[in-house]
């Protein structure tokens, strides 16, 4: 006889029947069930298979520590490939199935592996599969490994993230947490209370006790209601999964409902003034031979299933324990009508045992379960002496369907440890307890080693007061704890050769720990990594302490000396979508749009992303290819006039009395002698002397400059200026302001440009005398404030007209109406390539120095130091074979060698590479720009080009293909 | 004791009681010919090659904690040699070639899985940079292939090929010989190999200072007492700056936390290593079934071996942007290691500014893939006092000469 539902009791709603699928069958549960409790109520025993030996596995626990019941759950379009059945709230539409077992979870062909277990000890795969190579075996082993099957469908749900600051964050809403929140709320400070379960109360929901003369569960409900009324933020079904620096915690809330299209998981990033940890404790298994069969359960879980879900997991139960807590389970089972025998390793179990005996429980002192039997679930258990050292020891075989075990309690110190706190082994408590903490928190209840209800309440109350400064409140009271008989540490049964499981999911046994000890994997971290102990999806919640204790015993060390592994986030697995939260798509990486974005769309522009900006690549006409559009636009600029949206070009204003001196320390070029109203082309270097950015700098006034960094480097340049100002020149009076988004900037250029400029009715003198090339002036155009600069990136006479961004679309329309051809980035790239103007990040990379670009003039002229100066004269900086910027004329004038093509020498060593290439409509042939080793000395030579095996030839030339004298700038 | 399937059978029949320690727990000597500080993969490999290639008999590895517990046990296990510069390509490819023979040489299955490393291109500019890189690698003798978007889709159909993807996929390039290896096993394999050749591996031995004779370093001060040595080396990623300061010099290194994480185990869903420069993301699926992934560094220098939540979120977001199906999965574990980053993202291997000491540090985020070569070159330096041809370009002197090997620039990152 296995699990059944009782006719009454429990916190389930028998009025709400919930049908659900389990594999091929339809079962029924009630509202208030978890998937695990509903499966148990339906008598389901085998829910999975172990990872390595494919042994049958049943539900072991009732909470987050469950190692076995990992199942596939679908609810509508939601899917969890590795759901923990004990955490899945039963609801309509659940389709659950086992993730392991072929053809079925109860009849698994791979169970044959178990017969070979002696040849597959811990880490066996490190010792074989080497010939001919691992790749011969890997695919099959990968197929055997893994848990659930992930869905291949994109998940389009949106995830919400909340960032919040709170005075007091209480983690855990059991007795200690509720008492703490209650005390803290009385202080008037902002308080948040979180618990991983859907109902607050923790163990109060299934354990005996009265608080302030009320049943404990009632007190929990009433206190929760009070807290809600006081404005405490209550987050049930929320896992505090990570405790980071500065009292920052990550919480993952699993909401019951969400708006359509939105995920239930919601991340809370909480920064708390004070944290109260009331995370409780988890029962750890008592380890005995064949303790992995379905039907072997945590004694506390058996009690919880009975009380909270009214599920009697079996009518004949053997309990094996080393402490008093399992007697509550024994008594409750007996009262529910079960036959119960208790094997207690202690020879004098004391009052709890006497009370149980009085109820009709059979207690066998000084004994332990020494074996179990039953193919797909426990059918019998042998009870023998606790100090048995051989299978021949006198045992008594008891028929039973459940073996409930309790090896003591493991405080949930995970968050404390994550926060940087040190743990200490407390021999009396037989547990790792918090030692020295590192952050601003209070510890309370079970996680701090407190066991009785009365003390949990008191410690929670104290923690709440300490965290909030509240005073005017009496602590909740419970009856004092009965005198307990101390736990007797008991780590495994000393019967040689018996298989005793420590990690149920990963199949790690006591023998495996013995092997690790023999092979010198004695550090707990080596133990974990070599045997995989504690590396399953439960992260060792039930196996960690037992494994460490076994290693300690086998190596003759104490547990304190053996130590514990480091606890890492997350406390329990959390959804990746939830973690990323709103960081998705454009909120993960925003795209910027130009002020005249809509105008470009209206023109049918081919919009592409360049350095975070959406910009027109070109404006193809109907039935026009991109290449044809680029040729048409480039030709029009040279022959007539062009219009270009340059609004994304950076604009950083630099002002202050030390602006000139500061910029002179930063820039490669002298900017101090620049006259107001004039522009200069400048380079910004990194410390290594390499070109970080180029651009035009304008002096607006004696104490005011305007920088125009490359579109994609504006943020980087600003950060660099700030870094140098703050860390190297803090005494200088200078400030920076990125005004890029404040302006719309359009470039008008070409032979007909003056006619177009005349249409602007500019209140600015546009004559060459007043506004020569590389000058700028402020004023008005078309009645709005404007700035006009003479600067060219095409080689044509050019005017850059800037107006406040809001006027951008209107100015664009006005200019367009004058008939220039709009041209995009790709067309500009052809035009600037014809002139040999570099594009930072395309023609240069992080290795390019100014001299490589034939721009060493400013260095000779500049007397003061600047960033990167020292590196320009290192042996590397003056090597003769540095790559230099040159032009290439492919031998085949119709072949455009791809960017990234290398030039090679006779021995196929790389001489450098092509950085830009295009078909030039102006020159009427293909052209390229390249960085070639010793390039300037090679001008006139023919070099071989290499692109993925394809070879061609090109002639090296100066990097200018059109108007070398620059006459058109002034034409 | 030789490991083999046969040995597993034999020992299994005898109750697995006959297995020997993978490495000895030796009695600490007061003097050694060579001491390597740092029992990570690199340090253990150096000790192994000192004994095997150079025949040194009295070698010790001193480890503050447990061997393989630093970055060796914290990385995302990727091995590859798809580097831009000839100097890097030669070095990392030598490492990959050593990896290819390592399981058999050390008789320990390090589970080298040459499943390919695929780098994604998200713009035409990325494709141009990749063309440049692929050509450089082909000319350097590294076997890589440039793929178009369709070829990428055939290899990794789960990538986000939606037209509305924030990072559309234009193509990529793949190094088929790249892949992953079992990181812990590499440390254990070298430890076992070294121990069998007589190397003393001393765990829980904290080096607290350097012993000097005049200006020369002649040993170490440790939590277990003084130990003298003919020659010393440090191979202590994450603490290189600290150890250097003890010796009285500074390194051009900044240390950052680098986070990594794994999902819960899944049946096979991703068969290659996928990397994306635009998001900094890299992901692979371990043989156990966990997705192992990471992305950029935490933003500030740190020695604390833990990451912060916002960077963790950004890493997850980076992966999900490319694999929208993975949003349903769960993170099982998250951790951080400390990476020592040089200006040019290349390592420092060579003599320290102090006589008697050699350096192997500054591997940044990529030390695991170089484990065999880091050990090989450090052993060569310690045994001969001379640079190996492969390590010469990575001498500390390059920061004076300017002869940087700037792989970040080569990869088109952050210039």
């Amino acid at each position: 006889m296995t699990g059944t539902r009782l006719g009454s009791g429990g916190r389930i709603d028998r009025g709400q029947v919930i049908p659900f699928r389990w594999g091929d069958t339809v079962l029924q549960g009630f509202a208030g069930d978890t998937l695990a409790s509903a499966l148990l109520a339906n008598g389901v025993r085998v829910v999975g298979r172990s990872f390595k030996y494919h042994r049958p596995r049943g539900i072991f626990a009732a909470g987050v520590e469950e190692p076995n019941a990992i199942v596939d759950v679908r609810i509508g379009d939601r899917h969890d490939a590795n759901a923990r059945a004990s955490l899945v709230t039963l609801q309509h539409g659940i389709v659950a199935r086992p993730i392991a077992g072929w053809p079925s979870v109860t009849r698994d062909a791979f169970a044959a592996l178990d017969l070979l277990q002696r040849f597959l000890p811990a880490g066996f795969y490190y010792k074989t599969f080497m010939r001919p190579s691992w790749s011969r075996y890997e695919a099959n082993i990968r197929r055997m490994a893994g848990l659930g099957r992930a869905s291949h469908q994109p998940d389009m749900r949106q995830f919400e993230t909340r960032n919040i600051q709170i005075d007091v964050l209480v983690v855990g809403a059991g007795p200690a947490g509720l008492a703490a929140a209650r005390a803290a709320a009385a202080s008037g400070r902002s308080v948040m209370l979180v618990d991983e379960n859907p109902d607050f109360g923790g163990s109060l929901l299934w354990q005996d006790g009265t608080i302030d003369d009320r049943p404990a569960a009632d007190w929990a409900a009433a206190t929760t209601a009070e807290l809600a009324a006081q404005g405490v933020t209550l987050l049930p079904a929320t896992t505090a999964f990570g405790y980071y620096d500065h009292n920052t915690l990550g919480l993952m809330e699993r909401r019951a409902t969400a708006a359509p299209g939105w995920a239930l998981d919601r991340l809370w990033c909480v920064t708390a003034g004070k944290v109260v940890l009331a995370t409780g404790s988890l029962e750890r298994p008592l380890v005995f031979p064949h303790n992995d069969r379905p039907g072997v359960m945590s004694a506390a879980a058996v009690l919880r299933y009975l009380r909270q879900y009214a599920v009697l997991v079996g009518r004949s139960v053997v309990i094996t324990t080393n402490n008093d807590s399992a007697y509550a389970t024994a008594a409750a089972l007996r009262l529910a009508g079960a036959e119960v025998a208790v094997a207690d390793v202690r020879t004098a179990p004391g009052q709890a045992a006497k009370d149980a005996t009085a109820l009709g429980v059979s207690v066998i002192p000084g004994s332990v379960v020494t074996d179990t039997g039953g193919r797909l679930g426990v059918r019998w258990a042998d009870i023998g002496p606790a100090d048995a050292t051989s299978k021949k020891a006198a045992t008594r075989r008891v028929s039973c369907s459940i073996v409930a075990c309790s090896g003591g309690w493991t405080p949930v110190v995970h968050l404390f440890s994550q926060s940087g706190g040190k743990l200490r082994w407390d021999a009396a408590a037989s547990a790792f307890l918090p030692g020295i903490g590192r952050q601003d928190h209070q510890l309370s209840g079970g996680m701090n080693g407190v066991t009785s209800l009365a003390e949990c309440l008191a410690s929670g109350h104290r923690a709440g007061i300490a965290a909030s400064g509240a005073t005017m409140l009496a602590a909740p009271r419970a009856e004092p704890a009965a005198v307990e008989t101390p736990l007797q540490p008991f780590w495994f049964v000393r019967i040689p050769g018996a298989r005793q499981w420590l990690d149920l999911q990963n199949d790690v046994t006591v023998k495996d720990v013995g092997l690790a000890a023999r092979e010198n994997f004695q550090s707990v971290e080596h133990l974990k990594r070599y045997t995989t102990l504690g590396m399953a999806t439960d992260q060792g919640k039930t196996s960690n302490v037992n494994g460490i204790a076994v290693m300690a015993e086998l190596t003759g060390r104490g547990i304190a000396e053996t130590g514990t592994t480091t606890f890492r986030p997350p406390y329990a697995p959390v959804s990746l979508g939830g973690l990323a939260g709103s960081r998705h798509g454009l909120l993960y990486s925003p795209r910027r749009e130009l002020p005249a974005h809509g105008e470009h769309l209206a023109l049918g522009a081919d919009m592409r992303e360049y350095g975070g900006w959406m910009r027109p690549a070109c404006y193809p006409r109907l039935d026009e290819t991109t290449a044809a559009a680029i040729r048409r636009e480039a030709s029009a600029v040279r022959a007539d006039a062009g219009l270009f949206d340059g609004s994304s070009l950076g604009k950083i204003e630099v002002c202050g009395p030390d602006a000139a001196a500061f910029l002179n320390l930063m820039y490669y070029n002298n900017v101090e002698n620049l006259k107001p109203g004039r522009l200069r082309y400048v380079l910004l270097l990194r410390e290594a002397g390499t070109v970080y950015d180029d651009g035009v700098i304008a002096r607006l006034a004696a104490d005011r400059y305007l920088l125009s960094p490359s579109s994609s480097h504006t943020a980087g340049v600003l950060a660099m200026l700030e870094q140098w100002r703050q860390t190297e020149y803090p005494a200088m009076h200078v400030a920076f302001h990125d005004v890029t988004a404040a302006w719309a900037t359009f470039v008008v250029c070409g032979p007909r440009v003056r006619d177009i400029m005349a249409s602007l009715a500019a209140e600015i003198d546009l004559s060459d005398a007043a506004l020569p090339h590389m000058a700028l002036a402020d004023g008005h155009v078309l009645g709005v404030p404007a700035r006009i600069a003479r600067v060219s990136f095409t080689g044509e006479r050019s005017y850059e007209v800037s107006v406040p961004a809001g006027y951008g679309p209107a100015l664009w329309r006005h200019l367009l109406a004058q008939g220039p051809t709009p041209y995009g980035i790709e067309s500009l790239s052809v035009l600037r390539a014809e002139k040999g103007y570099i594009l930072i990040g395309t023609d240069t990379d992080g290795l390019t120095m100014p001299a490589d670009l034939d721009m060493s003039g400013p260095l000779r002229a500049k007397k003061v130091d600047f960033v990167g100066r020292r590196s320009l004269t290192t042996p590397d900086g003056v090597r003769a074979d540095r790559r230099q910027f040159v032009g290439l004329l492919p031998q085949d004038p119709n072949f455009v060698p791809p960017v990234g093509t290398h030039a090679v020498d006779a021995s196929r060593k790389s001489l450098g590479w092509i950085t830009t290439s295009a078909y030039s409509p102006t020159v009427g042939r293909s052209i390229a720009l390249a960085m070639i080793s010793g390039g300037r000395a090679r001008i006139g030579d023919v070099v071989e080009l290499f692109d993925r095996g394809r070879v061609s030839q090109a002639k090296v030339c100066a990097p200018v293909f059109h108007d070398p004298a620059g006459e058109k700038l002034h034409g | 004791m030789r490991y083999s399937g046969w040995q597993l059978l034999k020992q299994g029949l005898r109750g697995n009681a006959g297995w020997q320690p993978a490495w000895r727990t030796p009695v600490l000597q007061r003097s050694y010919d060579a001491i390597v500080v740092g029992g990570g993969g690199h340090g253990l490999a150096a000790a192994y090659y000192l004994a095997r290639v150079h025949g040194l008999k009295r070698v010790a590895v001193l480890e503050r904690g447990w061997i393989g517990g630093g970055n060796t046990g914290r990385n995302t296990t990727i091995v590859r040699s798809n580097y831009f510069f000839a100097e890097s390509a030669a070095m990392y490819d030598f490492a990959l070639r050593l990896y290819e023979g390592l399981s058999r040489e050390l008789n320990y299955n390090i589970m080298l899985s040459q499943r390919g490393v695929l780098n994604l291109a998200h713009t035409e500019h990325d494709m141009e940079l990749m063309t440049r890189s692929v050509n450089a690698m082909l000319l350097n003798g590294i076997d890589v292939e440039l793929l178009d978007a369709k070829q990428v889709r055939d290899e990794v159909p789960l990538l986000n090929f939606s037209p509305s993807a924030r990072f559309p996929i234009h193509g990529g390039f793949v190094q088929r010989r790249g892949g992953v290896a079992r990181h812990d096993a590499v440390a254990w394999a070298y430890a076992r190999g070294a121990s069998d050749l007589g190397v003393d591996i001393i765990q829980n031995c904290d080096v607290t200072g350097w012993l000097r004779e005049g200006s020369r370093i002649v040993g170490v001060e440790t939590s277990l007492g003084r130990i003298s040595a003919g020659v010393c080396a440090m191979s202590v990623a994450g603490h290189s700056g600290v150890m250097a300061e003890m010796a009285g010099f500074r390194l051009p290194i900044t240390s950052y936390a680098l986070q990594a994480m794994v999902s819960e185990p899944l049946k096979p869903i991703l068969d290659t290593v996928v990397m994306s420069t635009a998001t900094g993301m890299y992901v692979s699926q371990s043989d156990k079934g966990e997705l192992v992934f990471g992305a950029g560094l935490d933003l500030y220098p740190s020695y604390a071996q833990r990451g912060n939540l916002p960077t963790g979120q950004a890493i997850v977001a980076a992966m999900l942007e490319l694999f929208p199906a993975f949003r349903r999965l769960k993170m099982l574990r998250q951790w951080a290691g400390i990476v020592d980053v040089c200006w040019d993202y290349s390592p420092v291997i060579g003599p320290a500014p102090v006589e008697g000491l050699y350096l192997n540090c500054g591997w940044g985020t990529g030390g695991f893939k170089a484990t065999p070569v880091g050990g090989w070159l450090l052993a060569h330096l310690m045994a001969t006092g001379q640079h190996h041809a492969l390590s010469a370009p990575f001498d500390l002197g390059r920061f004076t000469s300017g002869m940087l090997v700037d792989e970040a620039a080569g990869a088109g990152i952050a210039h």
Side-chain angles (χ1 to χ4, degrees), chain A residues 369-383:
Chain A
V369 169
T370 57
D371 204 0
T372 68
R375 197 175 66 83
L376 291 176
V378 172
R379 296 169 71 87
W380 52 260
D382 281 346
I383 297 175

Side-chain angles (χ1 to χ4, degrees), chain A residues 550-568:
Chain A
V550 171
M551 177 56 87
E553 291 223 358
L554 294 179
T555 53
R557 295 175 293 179
I559 293 175
E561 190 192 338
T562 305
T564 179
T565 53
T566 313
F567 291 98
R568 308 239 176 251

Side-chain angles (χ1 to χ4, degrees), chain A residues 82 126 138 145 148 153 155 157 245 438 518 520 526 529 569 574 576 589 609 870 900 902 948, chain B residues 16 22-23 67 109 113 115 132 135 166 182 184 265 267 287 306 327-331 334 399:
Chain A
N82 291 318
Y126 299 123
E138 188 187 22
Q153 293 306 310
D155 179 355
R157 293 171 300 163
D245 287 353
R438 244 199 27 187
R518 259 197 303 290
N520 209 6
H526 284 148
R529 288 149 184 269
V574 288
L576 289 176
S589 176
E609 183 178 346
R870 156 264 182 207
H902 281 239
R948 287 167 287 157
Chain B
N16 287 309
W23 64 91
I67 59 169
N109 187 1
S113 169
R115 53 178 70 179
R132 180 182 115 166
N135 281 323
R166 179 64 190 87
R182 176 84 180 93
D184 293 325
K267 289 293 176 193
D287 287 332
R306 59 180 183 274
R327 300 173 92 201
R328 293 185 190 86
L329 307 180
K330 283 175 281 171
M331 175 171 87
Q334 177 245 328
F399 296 98

Side-chain angles (χ1 to χ4, degrees), chain A residues 902 910, chain B residues 79-98 100 132-144 173 175 177 345-347 363 369-370 373 377 389-391 393-394 405-407 410:
Chain A
H902 281 239
S910 175
Chain B
V79 295
R80 58 186 176 90
S81 63
N82 53 359
Y83 280 79
F84 186 73
F85 292 108
E87 297 87 344
S88 310
M91 182 175 67
Y92 288 103
D93 207 56
F94 185 65
L96 189 50
R97 275 179 280 135
L98 287 173
E100 285 167 336
R132 180 182 115 166
S133 296
V134 162
N135 281 323
M137 290 166 202
L138 292 174
L139 291 169
N140 286 331
I142 308 293
D143 194 23
V144 289
F173 83 98
Q175 182 184 24
R177 284 168 62 231
Y345 281 77
S346 284
W363 291 92
K369 71 176 80 69
V373 79
L377 297 177
L390 288 178
S391 64
F394 298 97
V405 187
D406 196 336
E407 282 296 338

Side-chain angles (χ1 to χ4, degrees), chain B residues 12 34 123 319:
Chain B
T123 64
M319 183 181 66

Side-chain angles (χ1 to χ4, degrees), chain B residues 45-196:
Chain B
Y48 170 75
Y49 292 122
L50 275 172
R52 204 212 76 196
V53 178
H54 302 284
L56 265 67
K57 299 282 180 245
R58 298 165 63 247
V59 179
V61 176
L62 309 182
E63 167 54 46
R64 182 170 71 166
W66 39 282
I67 59 169
N71 291 350
T72 300
R74 294 166 192 266
N75 62 77
T76 45
T77 80
I78 298 167
V79 295
R80 58 186 176 90
S81 63
N82 53 359
Y83 280 79
F84 186 73
F85 292 108
E87 297 87 344
S88 310
M91 182 175 67
Y92 288 103
D93 207 56
F94 185 65
L96 189 50
R97 275 179 280 135
L98 287 173
Y99 263 130
E100 285 167 336
L102 209 56
S103 289
R104 270 170 293 176
E105 172 172 352
L106 296 173
N107 180 230
Y108 203 98
N109 187 1
I110 62 154
M111 301 183 200
L112 176 68
S113 169
Q114 294 181 290
R115 53 178 70 179
V117 173
L118 172 67
N119 287 62
L120 298 173
H122 301 292
T123 64
E124 284 309 307
H125 182 64
D126 284 356
M127 280 304 277
E128 292 176 353
L129 270 174
M130 252 175 211
T131 306
R132 180 182 115 166
S133 296
V134 162
N135 281 323
M137 290 166 202
L138 292 174
L139 291 169
N140 286 331
I142 308 293
D143 194 23
V144 289
E145 298 163 40
L146 195 68
L147 306 179
D148 63 23
K150 185 183 173 306
Q151 290 170 303
V152 171
R153 188 167 200 163
D154 289 344
E155 303 225 353
V156 191
L158 284 180
L159 279 166
N160 190 353
F161 287 92
S162 152
S164 61
R166 179 64 190 87
F167 294 98
I169 290 160
H170 284 241
F173 83 98
V174 64
Q175 182 184 24
R176 305 275 175 207
R177 284 168 62 231
V180 292
R182 176 84 180 93
H183 55 359
D184 293 325
V186 172
W188 302 338
Y190 274 120
R192 177 165 167 265
S195 177
D196 285 353

Side-chain angles (χ1 to χ4, degrees), chain B residues 83-375:
Chain B
Y83 280 79
F84 186 73
F85 292 108
E87 297 87 344
S88 310
M91 182 175 67
Y92 288 103
D93 207 56
F94 185 65
L96 189 50
R97 275 179 280 135
L98 287 173
Y99 263 130
E100 285 167 336
L102 209 56
S103 289
R104 270 170 293 176
E105 172 172 352
L106 296 173
N107 180 230
Y108 203 98
N109 187 1
I110 62 154
M111 301 183 200
L112 176 68
S113 169
Q114 294 181 290
R115 53 178 70 179
V117 173
L118 172 67
N119 287 62
L120 298 173
H122 301 292
T123 64
E124 284 309 307
H125 182 64
D126 284 356
M127 280 304 277
E128 292 176 353
L129 270 174
M130 252 175 211
T131 306
R132 180 182 115 166
S133 296
V134 162
N135 281 323
M137 290 166 202
L138 292 174
L139 291 169
N140 286 331
I142 308 293
D143 194 23
V144 289
E145 298 163 40
L146 195 68
L147 306 179
D148 63 23
K150 185 183 173 306
Q151 290 170 303
V152 171
R153 188 167 200 163
D154 289 344
E155 303 225 353
V156 191
L158 284 180
L159 279 166
N160 190 353
F161 287 92
S162 152
S164 61
R166 179 64 190 87
F167 294 98
I169 290 160
H170 284 241
F173 83 98
V174 64
Q175 182 184 24
R176 305 275 175 207
R177 284 168 62 231
V180 292
R182 176 84 180 93
H183 55 359
D184 293 325
V186 172
W188 302 338
Y190 274 120
R192 177 165 167 265
S195 177
D196 285 353
L197 293 172
V199 171
D200 284 357
I201 296 168
I202 316 291
Q203 301 187 92
N204 302 308
C205 177
D206 193 1
V207 171
T208 54
W210 300 99
L211 293 180
R212 284 166 186 277
E213 228 166 58
S215 63
R216 188 184 162 82
I217 285 181
V218 295
V220 289
E221 201 73 80
T222 78
S223 54
L224 303 178
R226 292 178 166 207
I227 311 169
S228 65
V231 60
C232 291
M234 52 178 263
S235 189
V236 290
H239 271 75
S240 307
V242 179
M243 294 296 295
E245 191 169 28
M246 281 184 200
F249 61 94
R250 292 192 62 149
L251 287 170
I253 278 177
T254 310
S255 300
Y256 297 91
L258 177 67
Q259 299 191 38
M261 40 194 90
V262 297
S263 74
E264 294 182 320
L266 300 154
K267 289 293 176 193
I269 189 169
L270 180 64
D271 296 331
T272 53
V273 181
V274 177
M275 313 178 84
S276 155
T277 305
T279 60
M281 185 268 345
Y282 38 89
V283 59
S284 65
Q285 187 176 21
S286 73
D287 287 332
K288 199 181 173 199
E290 298 160 335
L291 293 169
V292 185
F293 59 100
L297 299 168
D298 279 19
L299 296 177
Y300 43 84
S302 172
Y303 285 121
Q305 287 177 315
R306 59 180 183 274
N308 65 45
L309 180 57
T311 301
Q313 287 181 269
I315 291 168
V316 174
M319 183 181 66
L320 298 185
E321 227 27 59
L322 295 171
F323 290 97
F326 293 172
R327 300 173 92 201
R328 293 185 190 86
L329 307 180
K330 283 175 281 171
M331 175 171 87
L332 176 61
R333 200 163 56 247
Q334 177 245 328
W335 66 93
I338 299 302
V339 296
D340 290 342
V341 181
C342 290
W343 171 273
D344 60 355
Y345 281 77
S346 284
V348 173
I349 317 167
V354 185
E355 212 188 332
L357 177 64
Y358 292 93
L359 307 172
N360 172 26
C361 57
W363 291 92
T365 59
F368 175 68
K369 71 176 80 69
T371 304
V373 79

